[in-house]
PDB file of all heavy atoms in Angstrom:
ATOM      1  N   MET A   9       3.654  -9.346  -3.551  1.00 80.00           N
ATOM      2  CA  MET A   9       5.105  -9.431  -3.718  1.00 80.00           C
ATOM      3  C   MET A   9       5.622 -10.543  -2.821  1.00 80.00           C
ATOM      4  O   MET A   9       5.048 -10.796  -1.758  1.00 80.00           O
ATOM      5  CB  MET A   9       5.771  -8.106  -3.320  1.00 80.00           C
ATOM      6  CG  MET A   9       5.408  -6.928  -4.186  1.00 80.00           C
ATOM      7  SD  MET A   9       6.336  -5.427  -3.758  1.00 80.00           S
ATOM      8  CE  MET A   9       5.671  -5.015  -2.151  1.00 80.00           C
ATOM      9  N   PRO A  10       6.707 -11.197  -3.209  1.00 80.00           N
ATOM     10  CA  PRO A  10       7.261 -12.245  -2.352  1.00 80.00           C
ATOM     11  C   PRO A  10       7.795 -11.661  -1.047  1.00 80.00           C
ATOM     12  O   PRO A  10       8.312 -10.538  -1.021  1.00 80.00           O
ATOM     13  CB  PRO A  10       8.394 -12.841  -3.194  1.00 80.00           C
ATOM     14  CG  PRO A  10       8.651 -11.886  -4.299  1.00 80.00           C
ATOM     15  CD  PRO A  10       7.448 -11.010  -4.439  1.00 80.00           C
ATOM     16  N   GLY A  11       7.632 -12.400   0.027  1.00 82.00           N
ATOM     17  CA  GLY A  11       8.204 -11.996   1.311  1.00 82.00           C
ATOM     18  C   GLY A  11       7.383 -10.967   2.055  1.00 82.00           C
ATOM     19  O   GLY A  11       6.908 -11.223   3.140  1.00 82.00           O
ATOM     20  N   MET A  12       7.203  -9.816   1.478  1.00 83.00           N
ATOM     21  CA  MET A  12       6.471  -8.721   2.120  1.00 83.00           C
ATOM     22  C   MET A  12       5.496  -8.162   1.093  1.00 83.00           C
ATOM     23  O   MET A  12       5.902  -7.631   0.076  1.00 83.00           O
ATOM     24  CB  MET A  12       7.431  -7.618   2.579  1.00 83.00           C
ATOM     25  CG  MET A  12       6.737  -6.417   3.193  1.00 83.00           C
ATOM     26  SD  MET A  12       7.843  -5.006   3.481  1.00 83.00           S
ATOM     27  CE  MET A  12       9.041  -5.708   4.579  1.00 83.00           C
ATOM     28  N   GLY A  13       4.218  -8.281   1.380  1.00 80.00           N
ATOM     29  CA  GLY A  13       3.204  -7.801   0.450  1.00 80.00           C
ATOM     30  C   GLY A  13       3.096  -6.288   0.424  1.00 80.00           C
ATOM     31  O   GLY A  13       3.742  -5.569   1.196  1.00 80.00           O
ATOM     32  N   GLY A  14       2.273  -5.807  -0.465  1.00 82.00           N
ATOM     33  CA  GLY A  14       2.103  -4.376  -0.658  1.00 82.00           C
ATOM     34  C   GLY A  14       1.592  -3.638   0.564  1.00 82.00           C
ATOM     35  O   GLY A  14       2.008  -2.526   0.843  1.00 82.00           O
ATOM     36  N   LYS A  15       0.697  -4.262   1.317  1.00 84.00           N
ATOM     37  CA  LYS A  15       0.126  -3.604   2.497  1.00 84.00           C
ATOM     38  C   LYS A  15       1.202  -3.310   3.538  1.00 84.00           C
ATOM     39  O   LYS A  15       1.312  -2.185   4.028  1.00 84.00           O
ATOM     40  CB  LYS A  15      -0.973  -4.476   3.093  1.00 84.00           C
ATOM     41  CG  LYS A  15      -1.688  -3.846   4.245  1.00 84.00           C
ATOM     42  CD  LYS A  15      -2.834  -4.724   4.719  1.00 84.00           C
ATOM     43  CE  LYS A  15      -3.543  -4.074   5.880  1.00 84.00           C
ATOM     44  NZ  LYS A  15      -4.677  -4.868   6.346  1.00 84.00           N
ATOM     45  N   GLU A  16       1.998  -4.315   3.869  1.00 89.00           N
ATOM     46  CA  GLU A  16       3.063  -4.114   4.855  1.00 89.00           C
ATOM     47  C   GLU A  16       4.110  -3.143   4.327  1.00 89.00           C
ATOM     48  O   GLU A  16       4.590  -2.262   5.061  1.00 89.00           O
ATOM     49  CB  GLU A  16       3.728  -5.437   5.220  1.00 89.00           C
ATOM     50  CG  GLU A  16       4.801  -5.271   6.283  1.00 89.00           C
ATOM     51  CD  GLU A  16       5.471  -6.573   6.675  1.00 89.00           C
ATOM     52  OE1 GLU A  16       5.052  -7.652   6.215  1.00 89.00           O
ATOM     53  OE2 GLU A  16       6.440  -6.496   7.450  1.00 89.00           O
ATOM     54  N   CYS A  17       4.460  -3.270   3.062  1.00 90.00           N
ATOM     55  CA  CYS A  17       5.462  -2.387   2.469  1.00 90.00           C
ATOM     56  C   CYS A  17       4.992  -0.938   2.498  1.00 90.00           C
ATOM     57  O   CYS A  17       5.758  -0.043   2.847  1.00 90.00           O
ATOM     58  CB  CYS A  17       5.780  -2.839   1.057  1.00 90.00           C
ATOM     59  SG  CYS A  17       7.193  -1.971   0.335  1.00 90.00           S
ATOM     60  N   LEU A  18       3.727  -0.705   2.164  1.00 90.00           N
ATOM     61  CA  LEU A  18       3.199   0.662   2.213  1.00 90.00           C
ATOM     62  C   LEU A  18       3.292   1.233   3.620  1.00 90.00           C
ATOM     63  O   LEU A  18       3.724   2.368   3.812  1.00 90.00           O
ATOM     64  CB  LEU A  18       1.747   0.704   1.727  1.00 90.00           C
ATOM     65  CG  LEU A  18       1.047   2.050   1.880  1.00 90.00           C
ATOM     66  CD1 LEU A  18       1.746   3.144   1.076  1.00 90.00           C
ATOM     67  CD2 LEU A  18      -0.411   1.947   1.483  1.00 90.00           C
ATOM     68  N   GLY A  19       2.916   0.440   4.614  1.00 92.00           N
ATOM     69  CA  GLY A  19       3.009   0.911   5.998  1.00 92.00           C
ATOM     70  C   GLY A  19       4.420   1.303   6.379  1.00 92.00           C
ATOM     71  O   GLY A  19       4.650   2.349   6.992  1.00 92.00           O
ATOM     72  N   ARG A  20       5.373   0.500   6.000  1.00 93.00           N
ATOM     73  CA  ARG A  20       6.777   0.793   6.337  1.00 93.00           C
ATOM     74  C   ARG A  20       7.320   1.977   5.532  1.00 93.00           C
ATOM     75  O   ARG A  20       8.110   2.766   6.057  1.00 93.00           O
ATOM     76  CB  ARG A  20       7.629  -0.442   6.134  1.00 93.00           C
ATOM     77  CG  ARG A  20       7.279  -1.518   7.140  1.00 93.00           C
ATOM     78  CD  ARG A  20       8.345  -2.544   7.193  1.00 93.00           C
ATOM     79  NE  ARG A  20       7.992  -3.606   8.103  1.00 93.00           N
ATOM     80  CZ  ARG A  20       8.789  -4.618   8.360  1.00 93.00           C
ATOM     81  NH1 ARG A  20       9.968  -4.696   7.771  1.00 93.00           N
ATOM     82  NH2 ARG A  20       8.427  -5.545   9.191  1.00 93.00           N
ATOM     83  N   LEU A  21       6.903   2.099   4.282  1.00 92.00           N
ATOM     84  CA  LEU A  21       7.310   3.273   3.504  1.00 92.00           C
ATOM     85  C   LEU A  21       6.800   4.541   4.161  1.00 92.00           C
ATOM     86  O   LEU A  21       7.509   5.542   4.263  1.00 92.00           O
ATOM     87  CB  LEU A  21       6.778   3.178   2.066  1.00 92.00           C
ATOM     88  CG  LEU A  21       7.486   2.213   1.128  1.00 92.00           C
ATOM     89  CD1 LEU A  21       6.685   2.052  -0.157  1.00 92.00           C
ATOM     90  CD2 LEU A  21       8.900   2.686   0.825  1.00 92.00           C
ATOM     91  N   ARG A  22       5.539   4.514   4.621  1.00 91.00           N
ATOM     92  CA  ARG A  22       4.951   5.691   5.255  1.00 91.00           C
ATOM     93  C   ARG A  22       5.618   5.997   6.600  1.00 91.00           C
ATOM     94  O   ARG A  22       5.651   7.139   7.016  1.00 91.00           O
ATOM     95  CB  ARG A  22       3.447   5.539   5.377  1.00 91.00           C
ATOM     96  CG  ARG A  22       2.798   5.584   3.973  1.00 91.00           C
ATOM     97  CD  ARG A  22       1.304   5.647   3.972  1.00 91.00           C
ATOM     98  NE  ARG A  22       0.745   6.754   4.704  1.00 91.00           N
ATOM     99  CZ  ARG A  22       0.657   7.998   4.265  1.00 91.00           C
ATOM    100  NH1 ARG A  22       1.127   8.324   3.079  1.00 91.00           N
ATOM    101  NH2 ARG A  22       0.102   8.937   5.011  1.00 91.00           N
ATOM    102  N   GLU A  23       6.156   4.982   7.261  1.00 92.00           N
ATOM    103  CA  GLU A  23       6.933   5.229   8.483  1.00 92.00           C
ATOM    104  C   GLU A  23       8.206   5.994   8.142  1.00 92.00           C
ATOM    105  O   GLU A  23       8.603   6.898   8.865  1.00 92.00           O
ATOM    106  CB  GLU A  23       7.305   3.906   9.170  1.00 92.00           C
ATOM    107  CG  GLU A  23       6.148   3.225   9.860  1.00 92.00           C
ATOM    108  CD  GLU A  23       6.523   1.842  10.382  1.00 92.00           C
ATOM    109  OE1 GLU A  23       7.718   1.443  10.318  1.00 92.00           O
ATOM    110  OE2 GLU A  23       5.607   1.134  10.845  1.00 92.00           O
ATOM    111  N   GLN A  24       8.860   5.617   7.041  1.00 90.00           N
ATOM    112  CA  GLN A  24      10.083   6.291   6.616  1.00 90.00           C
ATOM    113  C   GLN A  24       9.798   7.696   6.111  1.00 90.00           C
ATOM    114  O   GLN A  24      10.591   8.612   6.338  1.00 90.00           O
ATOM    115  CB  GLN A  24      10.773   5.501   5.495  1.00 90.00           C
ATOM    116  CG  GLN A  24      11.437   4.239   5.932  1.00 90.00           C
ATOM    117  CD  GLN A  24      12.209   3.586   4.794  1.00 90.00           C
ATOM    118  OE1 GLN A  24      12.738   4.253   3.907  1.00 90.00           O
ATOM    119  NE2 GLN A  24      12.285   2.265   4.810  1.00 90.00           N
ATOM    120  N   ASP A  25       8.684   7.854   5.394  1.00 90.00           N
ATOM    121  CA  ASP A  25       8.339   9.141   4.785  1.00 90.00           C
ATOM    122  C   ASP A  25       6.815   9.248   4.706  1.00 90.00           C
ATOM    123  O   ASP A  25       6.205   8.706   3.794  1.00 90.00           O
ATOM    124  CB  ASP A  25       8.944   9.241   3.383  1.00 90.00           C
ATOM    125  CG  ASP A  25       8.603  10.548   2.674  1.00 90.00           C
ATOM    126  OD1 ASP A  25       7.848  11.378   3.229  1.00 90.00           O
ATOM    127  OD2 ASP A  25       9.079  10.731   1.541  1.00 90.00           O
ATOM    128  N   PRO A  26       6.185   9.928   5.673  1.00 90.00           N
ATOM    129  CA  PRO A  26       4.724  10.033   5.686  1.00 90.00           C
ATOM    130  C   PRO A  26       4.143  10.663   4.415  1.00 90.00           C
ATOM    131  O   PRO A  26       2.978  10.445   4.095  1.00 90.00           O
ATOM    132  CB  PRO A  26       4.430  10.912   6.904  1.00 90.00           C
ATOM    133  CG  PRO A  26       5.627  10.789   7.766  1.00 90.00           C
ATOM    134  CD  PRO A  26       6.794  10.589   6.826  1.00 90.00           C
ATOM    135  N   GLY A  27       4.934  11.383   3.665  1.00 88.00           N
ATOM    136  CA  GLY A  27       4.457  12.029   2.451  1.00 88.00           C
ATOM    137  C   GLY A  27       4.695  11.225   1.185  1.00 88.00           C
ATOM    138  O   GLY A  27       4.442  11.716   0.090  1.00 88.00           O
ATOM    139  N   VAL A  28       5.157   9.974   1.321  1.00 90.00           N
ATOM    140  CA  VAL A  28       5.453   9.156   0.152  1.00 90.00           C
ATOM    141  C   VAL A  28       4.200   8.999  -0.709  1.00 90.00           C
ATOM    142  O   VAL A  28       3.101   8.815  -0.207  1.00 90.00           O
ATOM    143  CB  VAL A  28       6.026   7.780   0.548  1.00 90.00           C
ATOM    144  CG1 VAL A  28       5.036   6.942   1.337  1.00 90.00           C
ATOM    145  CG2 VAL A  28       6.521   7.020  -0.680  1.00 90.00           C
ATOM    146  N   ARG A  29       4.391   9.116  -2.016  1.00 91.00           N
ATOM    147  CA  ARG A  29       3.276   8.951  -2.955  1.00 91.00           C
ATOM    148  C   ARG A  29       3.355   7.550  -3.543  1.00 91.00           C
ATOM    149  O   ARG A  29       4.383   7.171  -4.115  1.00 91.00           O
ATOM    150  CB  ARG A  29       3.344  10.009  -4.046  1.00 91.00           C
ATOM    151  CG  ARG A  29       3.092  11.410  -3.459  1.00 91.00           C
ATOM    152  CD  ARG A  29       3.157  12.457  -4.499  1.00 91.00           C
ATOM    153  NE  ARG A  29       4.560  12.689  -4.849  1.00 91.00           N
ATOM    154  CZ  ARG A  29       4.979  13.750  -5.498  1.00 91.00           C
ATOM    155  NH1 ARG A  29       4.135  14.667  -5.898  1.00 91.00           N
ATOM    156  NH2 ARG A  29       6.258  13.904  -5.776  1.00 91.00           N
ATOM    157  N   VAL A  30       2.267   6.792  -3.379  1.00 92.00           N
ATOM    158  CA  VAL A  30       2.251   5.382  -3.762  1.00 92.00           C
ATOM    159  C   VAL A  30       1.017   5.068  -4.596  1.00 92.00           C
ATOM    160  O   VAL A  30      -0.095   5.458  -4.242  1.00 92.00           O
ATOM    161  CB  VAL A  30       2.258   4.480  -2.499  1.00 92.00           C
ATOM    162  CG1 VAL A  30       2.140   3.007  -2.886  1.00 92.00           C
ATOM    163  CG2 VAL A  30       3.507   4.716  -1.666  1.00 92.00           C
ATOM    164  N   LEU A  31       1.252   4.360  -5.692  1.00 91.00           N
ATOM    165  CA  LEU A  31       0.179   3.744  -6.468  1.00 91.00           C
ATOM    166  C   LEU A  31       0.283   2.243  -6.247  1.00 91.00           C
ATOM    167  O   LEU A  31       1.386   1.712  -6.104  1.00 91.00           O
ATOM    168  CB  LEU A  31       0.330   4.031  -7.960  1.00 91.00           C
ATOM    169  CG  LEU A  31       0.117   5.465  -8.420  1.00 91.00           C
ATOM    170  CD1 LEU A  31       0.424   5.575  -9.912  1.00 91.00           C
ATOM    171  CD2 LEU A  31      -1.315   5.911  -8.139  1.00 91.00           C
ATOM    172  N   VAL A  32      -0.855   1.569  -6.228  1.00 87.00           N
ATOM    173  CA  VAL A  32      -0.888   0.134  -6.019  1.00 87.00           C
ATOM    174  C   VAL A  32      -1.277  -0.552  -7.323  1.00 87.00           C
ATOM    175  O   VAL A  32      -2.304  -0.216  -7.913  1.00 87.00           O
ATOM    176  CB  VAL A  32      -1.902  -0.229  -4.914  1.00 87.00           C
ATOM    177  CG1 VAL A  32      -1.980  -1.733  -4.744  1.00 87.00           C
ATOM    178  CG2 VAL A  32      -1.533   0.457  -3.614  1.00 87.00           C
ATOM    179  N   ALA A  33      -0.456  -1.501  -7.752  1.00 87.00           N
ATOM    180  CA  ALA A  33      -0.757  -2.289  -8.944  1.00 87.00           C
ATOM    181  C   ALA A  33      -1.321  -3.630  -8.493  1.00 87.00           C
ATOM    182  O   ALA A  33      -0.736  -4.303  -7.642  1.00 87.00           O
ATOM    183  CB  ALA A  33       0.506  -2.500  -9.774  1.00 87.00           C
ATOM    184  N   THR A  34      -2.473  -3.992  -9.039  1.00 84.00           N
ATOM    185  CA  THR A  34      -3.094  -5.245  -8.654  1.00 84.00           C
ATOM    186  C   THR A  34      -3.996  -5.774  -9.750  1.00 84.00           C
ATOM    187  O   THR A  34      -4.517  -5.002 -10.550  1.00 84.00           O
ATOM    188  CB  THR A  34      -3.897  -5.096  -7.341  1.00 84.00           C
ATOM    189  OG1 THR A  34      -4.415  -6.365  -6.963  1.00 84.00           O
ATOM    190  CG2 THR A  34      -5.021  -4.096  -7.490  1.00 84.00           C
ATOM    191  N   GLY A  35      -4.174  -7.058  -9.754  1.00 81.00           N
ATOM    192  CA  GLY A  35      -5.126  -7.699 -10.643  1.00 81.00           C
ATOM    193  C   GLY A  35      -6.384  -8.083  -9.891  1.00 81.00           C
ATOM    194  O   GLY A  35      -7.304  -8.649 -10.438  1.00 81.00           O
ATOM    195  N   TYR A  36      -6.422  -7.756  -8.597  1.00 69.00           N
ATOM    196  CA  TYR A  36      -7.530  -8.146  -7.725  1.00 69.00           C
ATOM    197  C   TYR A  36      -8.206  -6.928  -7.114  1.00 69.00           C
ATOM    198  O   TYR A  36      -8.100  -6.676  -5.928  1.00 69.00           O
ATOM    199  CB  TYR A  36      -7.023  -9.047  -6.593  1.00 69.00           C
ATOM    200  CG  TYR A  36      -6.242 -10.236  -7.070  1.00 69.00           C
ATOM    201  CD1 TYR A  36      -4.852 -10.227  -7.049  1.00 69.00           C
ATOM    202  CD2 TYR A  36      -6.890 -11.365  -7.550  1.00 69.00           C
ATOM    203  CE1 TYR A  36      -4.133 -11.326  -7.493  1.00 69.00           C
ATOM    204  CE2 TYR A  36      -6.176 -12.460  -7.999  1.00 69.00           C
ATOM    205  CZ  TYR A  36      -4.800 -12.437  -7.962  1.00 69.00           C
ATOM    206  OH  TYR A  36      -4.091 -13.517  -8.408  1.00 69.00           O
ATOM    207  N   THR A  37      -8.899  -6.147  -7.909  1.00 62.00           N
ATOM    208  CA  THR A  37      -9.508  -4.917  -7.391  1.00 62.00           C
ATOM    209  C   THR A  37     -10.806  -5.170  -6.649  1.00 62.00           C
ATOM    210  O   THR A  37     -11.261  -4.308  -5.918  1.00 62.00           O
ATOM    211  CB  THR A  37      -9.769  -3.907  -8.520  1.00 62.00           C
ATOM    212  OG1 THR A  37     -10.592  -4.526  -9.500  1.00 62.00           O
ATOM    213  CG2 THR A  37      -8.487  -3.428  -9.145  1.00 62.00           C
ATOM    214  N   SER A  38     -11.396  -6.345  -6.798  1.00 59.00           N
ATOM    215  CA  SER A  38     -12.698  -6.571  -6.179  1.00 59.00           C
ATOM    216  C   SER A  38     -12.617  -7.220  -4.801  1.00 59.00           C
ATOM    217  O   SER A  38     -13.621  -7.354  -4.129  1.00 59.00           O
ATOM    218  CB  SER A  38     -13.567  -7.442  -7.098  1.00 59.00           C
ATOM    219  OG  SER A  38     -12.943  -8.702  -7.286  1.00 59.00           O
ATOM    220  N   ASP A  39     -11.415  -7.598  -4.344  1.00 60.00           N
ATOM    221  CA  ASP A  39     -11.345  -8.314  -3.068  1.00 60.00           C
ATOM    222  C   ASP A  39     -11.225  -7.405  -1.854  1.00 60.00           C
ATOM    223  O   ASP A  39     -11.217  -7.867  -0.732  1.00 60.00           O
ATOM    224  CB  ASP A  39     -10.223  -9.350  -3.088  1.00 60.00           C
ATOM    225  CG  ASP A  39      -8.827  -8.748  -3.007  1.00 60.00           C
ATOM    226  OD1 ASP A  39      -8.691  -7.513  -3.014  1.00 60.00           O
ATOM    227  OD2 ASP A  39      -7.864  -9.532  -2.938  1.00 60.00           O
ATOM    228  N   GLY A  40     -11.128  -6.116  -2.027  1.00 68.00           N
ATOM    229  CA  GLY A  40     -11.085  -5.184  -0.903  1.00 68.00           C
ATOM    230  C   GLY A  40      -9.696  -4.872  -0.395  1.00 68.00           C
ATOM    231  O   GLY A  40      -9.503  -3.875   0.288  1.00 68.00           O
ATOM    232  N   SER A  41      -8.708  -5.705  -0.673  1.00 72.00           N
ATOM    233  CA  SER A  41      -7.349  -5.462  -0.175  1.00 72.00           C
ATOM    234  C   SER A  41      -6.774  -4.171  -0.727  1.00 72.00           C
ATOM    235  O   SER A  41      -6.131  -3.404   0.003  1.00 72.00           O
ATOM    236  CB  SER A  41      -6.429  -6.617  -0.554  1.00 72.00           C
ATOM    237  OG  SER A  41      -6.887  -7.810  -0.005  1.00 72.00           O
ATOM    238  N   ALA A  42      -6.983  -3.929  -2.003  1.00 69.00           N
ATOM    239  CA  ALA A  42      -6.472  -2.695  -2.603  1.00 69.00           C
ATOM    240  C   ALA A  42      -7.158  -1.483  -1.992  1.00 69.00           C
ATOM    241  O   ALA A  42      -6.519  -0.450  -1.772  1.00 69.00           O
ATOM    242  CB  ALA A  42      -6.668  -2.725  -4.118  1.00 69.00           C
ATOM    243  N   GLN A  43      -8.438  -1.611  -1.691  1.00 76.00           N
ATOM    244  CA  GLN A  43      -9.170  -0.502  -1.067  1.00 76.00           C
ATOM    245  C   GLN A  43      -8.583  -0.178   0.305  1.00 76.00           C
ATOM    246  O   GLN A  43      -8.528   0.977   0.703  1.00 76.00           O
ATOM    247  CB  GLN A  43     -10.658  -0.847  -0.949  1.00 76.00           C
ATOM    248  CG  GLN A  43     -11.347  -1.095  -2.271  1.00 76.00           C
ATOM    249  CD  GLN A  43     -11.267   0.088  -3.232  1.00 76.00           C
ATOM    250  OE1 GLN A  43     -11.373   1.231  -2.831  1.00 76.00           O
ATOM    251  NE2 GLN A  43     -11.063  -0.204  -4.506  1.00 76.00           N
ATOM    252  N   GLU A  44      -8.142  -1.202   1.036  1.00 81.00           N
ATOM    253  CA  GLU A  44      -7.501  -0.981   2.336  1.00 81.00           C
ATOM    254  C   GLU A  44      -6.254  -0.114   2.178  1.00 81.00           C
ATOM    255  O   GLU A  44      -5.967   0.735   3.020  1.00 81.00           O
ATOM    256  CB  GLU A  44      -7.105  -2.311   2.976  1.00 81.00           C
ATOM    257  CG  GLU A  44      -8.254  -3.111   3.510  1.00 81.00           C
ATOM    258  CD  GLU A  44      -7.766  -4.406   4.142  1.00 81.00           C
ATOM    259  OE1 GLU A  44      -6.710  -4.386   4.821  1.00 81.00           O
ATOM    260  OE2 GLU A  44      -8.444  -5.427   3.956  1.00 81.00           O
ATOM    261  N   LEU A  45      -5.511  -0.332   1.092  1.00 81.00           N
ATOM    262  CA  LEU A  45      -4.297   0.457   0.868  1.00 81.00           C
ATOM    263  C   LEU A  45      -4.634   1.914   0.584  1.00 81.00           C
ATOM    264  O   LEU A  45      -3.876   2.815   0.955  1.00 81.00           O
ATOM    265  CB  LEU A  45      -3.461  -0.148  -0.256  1.00 81.00           C
ATOM    266  CG  LEU A  45      -2.838  -1.500   0.078  1.00 81.00           C
ATOM    267  CD1 LEU A  45      -2.106  -2.055  -1.121  1.00 81.00           C
ATOM    268  CD2 LEU A  45      -1.897  -1.400   1.252  1.00 81.00           C
ATOM    269  N   LEU A  46      -5.759   2.166  -0.047  1.00 84.00           N
ATOM    270  CA  LEU A  46      -6.191   3.553  -0.247  1.00 84.00           C
ATOM    271  C   LEU A  46      -6.452   4.203   1.106  1.00 84.00           C
ATOM    272  O   LEU A  46      -6.106   5.366   1.329  1.00 84.00           O
ATOM    273  CB  LEU A  46      -7.445   3.610  -1.119  1.00 84.00           C
ATOM    274  CG  LEU A  46      -7.251   3.212  -2.582  1.00 84.00           C
ATOM    275  CD1 LEU A  46      -8.600   3.178  -3.294  1.00 84.00           C
ATOM    276  CD2 LEU A  46      -6.290   4.141  -3.292  1.00 84.00           C
ATOM    277  N   LEU A  47      -7.040   3.461   2.022  1.00 86.00           N
ATOM    278  CA  LEU A  47      -7.286   3.981   3.368  1.00 86.00           C
ATOM    279  C   LEU A  47      -5.986   4.212   4.130  1.00 86.00           C
ATOM    280  O   LEU A  47      -5.917   5.069   4.996  1.00 86.00           O
ATOM    281  CB  LEU A  47      -8.198   3.031   4.153  1.00 86.00           C
ATOM    282  CG  LEU A  47      -9.607   2.887   3.607  1.00 86.00           C
ATOM    283  CD1 LEU A  47     -10.369   1.799   4.368  1.00 86.00           C
ATOM    284  CD2 LEU A  47     -10.362   4.211   3.669  1.00 86.00           C
ATOM    285  N   GLN A  48      -4.948   3.461   3.790  1.00 87.00           N
ATOM    286  CA  GLN A  48      -3.623   3.627   4.401  1.00 87.00           C
ATOM    287  C   GLN A  48      -2.844   4.777   3.785  1.00 87.00           C
ATOM    288  O   GLN A  48      -1.751   5.082   4.236  1.00 87.00           O
ATOM    289  CB  GLN A  48      -2.796   2.352   4.245  1.00 87.00           C
ATOM    290  CG  GLN A  48      -3.070   1.292   5.256  1.00 87.00           C
ATOM    291  CD  GLN A  48      -2.071   0.160   5.094  1.00 87.00           C
ATOM    292  OE1 GLN A  48      -2.373  -0.847   4.473  1.00 87.00           O
ATOM    293  NE2 GLN A  48      -0.890   0.323   5.651  1.00 87.00           N
ATOM    294  N   GLY A  49      -3.368   5.373   2.718  1.00 87.00           N
ATOM    295  CA  GLY A  49      -2.684   6.521   2.139  1.00 87.00           C
ATOM    296  C   GLY A  49      -2.195   6.365   0.716  1.00 87.00           C
ATOM    297  O   GLY A  49      -1.584   7.288   0.185  1.00 87.00           O
ATOM    298  N   ALA A  50      -2.427   5.206   0.093  1.00 89.00           N
ATOM    299  CA  ALA A  50      -2.058   5.075  -1.314  1.00 89.00           C
ATOM    300  C   ALA A  50      -2.896   6.049  -2.131  1.00 89.00           C
ATOM    301  O   ALA A  50      -4.051   6.321  -1.809  1.00 89.00           O
ATOM    302  CB  ALA A  50      -2.278   3.637  -1.800  1.00 89.00           C
ATOM    303  N   LEU A  51      -2.318   6.581  -3.198  1.00 88.00           N
ATOM    304  CA  LEU A  51      -3.012   7.575  -4.026  1.00 88.00           C
ATOM    305  C   LEU A  51      -4.021   6.969  -4.977  1.00 88.00           C
ATOM    306  O   LEU A  51      -4.989   7.615  -5.358  1.00 88.00           O
ATOM    307  CB  LEU A  51      -1.994   8.370  -4.843  1.00 88.00           C
ATOM    308  CG  LEU A  51      -1.025   9.233  -4.073  1.00 88.00           C
ATOM    309  CD1 LEU A  51      -0.006   9.839  -5.027  1.00 88.00           C
ATOM    310  CD2 LEU A  51      -1.755  10.321  -3.313  1.00 88.00           C
TER     311      LEU A  51
END
């Protein structure tokens, strides 16, 4: 996303609401970045 990517946004959403349910949309599933978001709590 412009300005603030999904990783930073997920972290800040979880600060506001630790129970937030998040899915990550990406075209780059093999680069490991999306997997990091799963470790951060994305569903």
Side-chain angles (χ1 to χ4, degrees):
M9 296 185 291
M12 177 190 300
K15 184 176 180 178
E16 182 179 354
C17 189
L18 174 61
R20 292 196 183 182
L21 285 170
R22 291 189 57 79
E23 287 173 6
Q24 287 186 32
D25 179 357
V28 64
R29 293 180 285 196
V30 176
L31 292 175
V32 177
T34 184
Y36 307 100
T37 57
S38 61
D39 73 356
S41 300
Q43 299 302 321
E44 287 181 39
L45 292 176
L46 291 174
L47 295 173
Q48 278 187 262
L51 295 174

